[in-house]
Amino acid sequence: MAVIYPAAFFMAVTMGQMTLGMVLYARLVLAAGGTRIGALAGIWSLTYVFGCLVVRPWFNRVLPRYLVMGSTATMAGTVLAMLGLETYCMLLVLYAIFGLALSLFWPPLMGWVSTNVEGPHLGRVIGRYNMSWCSGAVISPFICGWLSAVDPRYPLMLAVGLMLFICVFVAVASRFLPGIGVDRGTGAAHDALPGDTDSSSPLRFPAWIGLYASFFGMGTLTAIFPLVAMETWDTLESMIGLVFTVRGLANVAGFILLGRIHAWHHKWIPMVAAQWVAVVTLIALSLAGSVITAAGLLAVFGISNAMSYASSFFHGTAGSLNRARRMAIHESVLAAGLVSGSVAGGWIYEKLASSIVFFVVAMILAGLTMLQTMMGRSQETRMKEPLLKR
């Protein structure tokens, strides 16, 4: 945990520089339109999904610490190459490679942190892990907005430095921390203890629907909210970063609460309720009259997002023998939501009207949440069975 939690924190800071920083870089340096920005914000997610499902299994027996070092070094190289470009097409290609390399970071790390942990202890471990990466997500948008106001290239430069730091940090820890050097856990099925049986929770299916829906909304917010804020309220880049920081703080608060409370474990109603809150929040955001109101609504969305993420993480790993694979699915669903949300939001923003972006996305989320509700109800009988009989 002395390696996993800090690595998650610094990578979250890095991803904040990349996701928001790339939107601002494309807008301010390349003068890209809404559709191009949406595609750029989504391309890394698309290749990330492909990497999680297709590329990652090739490295199933490679220890997580080696994957973390290799992926961060590769990502740092691609971002460094981006800094020398001012053409959209090559930027798109390099961002796609970045997504592939990222698929060798998060799923192995998440499978590693949850190996051989169950029940309330699993909930606490997940809560601490989520608090680690989400704490990085809190400060990252503010840093990105402040740096972008000085020079749009600075967030990407910081991302390079942080990824190289993670690579060196894990390498040094593997050399000098005995617990890391002897660890052979990968979170994969071949590491299961003798006599272990798979007792996976059926709630992972509605949880994955909720995760997709939540990050569909998140993809739209990440890619399009900065454009709407600058266009509608003449908001500065630093203020946009502060708004996303507020959302991140709400995320952290949600993860802290969910890590301490276990009543939501193996229950479908809390995850569905959180999604309906997200729907209402996006409808209200479409009517917001100021950036201050929008900041409060994004905070509510952040709490809802924490429930969706934690539900997918917990119910995906609980009772599973192949947690690295489950976390690859978790990350693939998450990334699919981000890419489709960012592309759809960009298209609506450019082709229809910026004023209806969040309302249309809210209606999409409402349809997905109805599907999640029906699937949750269908699992009610199975939820009442003893966990080991599932």
Side-chain angles (χ1 to χ4, degrees), residues 108-181:
L109 197 72
M110 297 168 75
W112 194 13
V113 77
S114 62
T115 299
N116 298 325
V117 183
E118 288 291 354
H121 185 42
L122 175 60
R124 287 190 293 270
V125 167
I126 290 175
R128 294 181 192 124
Y129 172 85
N130 289 339
M131 190 171 62
S132 297
W133 71 259
C134 199
S135 296
V138 168
I139 64 173
S140 185
F142 180 76
I143 295 172
C144 181
W146 179 71
L147 290 175
S148 293
V150 180
D151 190 319
R153 296 173 180 82
Y154 283 178
L156 305 186
M157 295 171 65
L158 177 59
V160 171
L162 288 173
M163 286 183 286
L164 291 176
F165 171 78
I166 294 170
C167 182
V168 174
F169 170 71
V170 175
V172 172
S174 300
R175 174 68 178 83
F176 292 102
L177 293 181
I180 303 300

Side-chain angles (χ1 to χ4, degrees), residues 64-247:
R65 60 180 180 270
Y66 298 132
L67 292 178
V68 167
M69 288 185 281
S71 64
T72 49
T74 303
M75 287 185 287
T78 60
V79 179
L80 195 60
M82 291 179 191
L83 290 169
L85 298 174
E86 291 190 1
T87 60
Y88 176 82
C89 291
M90 284 304 300
L91 195 66
L92 202 66
V93 171
L94 289 171
Y95 213 12
I97 297 172
F98 177 89
L100 282 175
L102 186 63
S103 69
L104 298 179
F105 182 89
W106 288 118
L109 197 72
M110 297 168 75
W112 194 13
V113 77
S114 62
T115 299
N116 298 325
V117 183
E118 288 291 354
H121 185 42
L122 175 60
R124 287 190 293 270
V125 167
I126 290 175
R128 294 181 192 124
Y129 172 85
N130 289 339
M131 190 171 62
S132 297
W133 71 259
C134 199
S135 296
V138 168
I139 64 173
S140 185
F142 180 76
I143 295 172
C144 181
W146 179 71
L147 290 175
S148 293
V150 180
D151 190 319
R153 296 173 180 82
Y154 283 178
L156 305 186
M157 295 171 65
L158 177 59
V160 171
L162 288 173
M163 286 183 286
L164 291 176
F165 171 78
I166 294 170
C167 182
V168 174
F169 170 71
V170 175
V172 172
S174 300
R175 174 68 178 83
F176 292 102
L177 293 181
I180 303 300
V182 300
D183 183 36
R184 293 293 179 266
T186 65
H190 60 261
D191 284 331
L193 298 175
D196 283 351
T197 57
D198 189 272
S199 53
S200 299
S201 170
L203 284 179
R204 64 188 184 276
F205 300 113
W208 287 338
I209 294 176
L211 182 71
Y212 175 84
S214 183
F215 277 87
F216 186 99
M218 188 68 75
T220 300
L221 290 174
T222 301
I224 304 304
F225 179 79
L227 307 183
V228 173
M230 287 188 287
E231 175 188 290
T232 305
W233 303 304
D234 197 25
T235 308
L236 297 175
E237 293 90 340
S238 57
M239 186 61 183
I240 293 172
L242 184 60
V243 169
F244 279 105
T245 298
V246 170
R247 181 201 59 78

Side-chain angles (χ1 to χ4, degrees), residues 56 60 111 114 186-190 192 198 200 316-317 319-329:
R56 186 207 58 83
N60 210 29
S114 62
T186 65
H190 60 261
D198 189 272
S200 299
T317 55
S320 174
L321 296 183
N322 197 343
R323 300 190 175 194
R325 180 175 179 274
R326 287 288 173 79
M327 289 301 94
I329 295 173

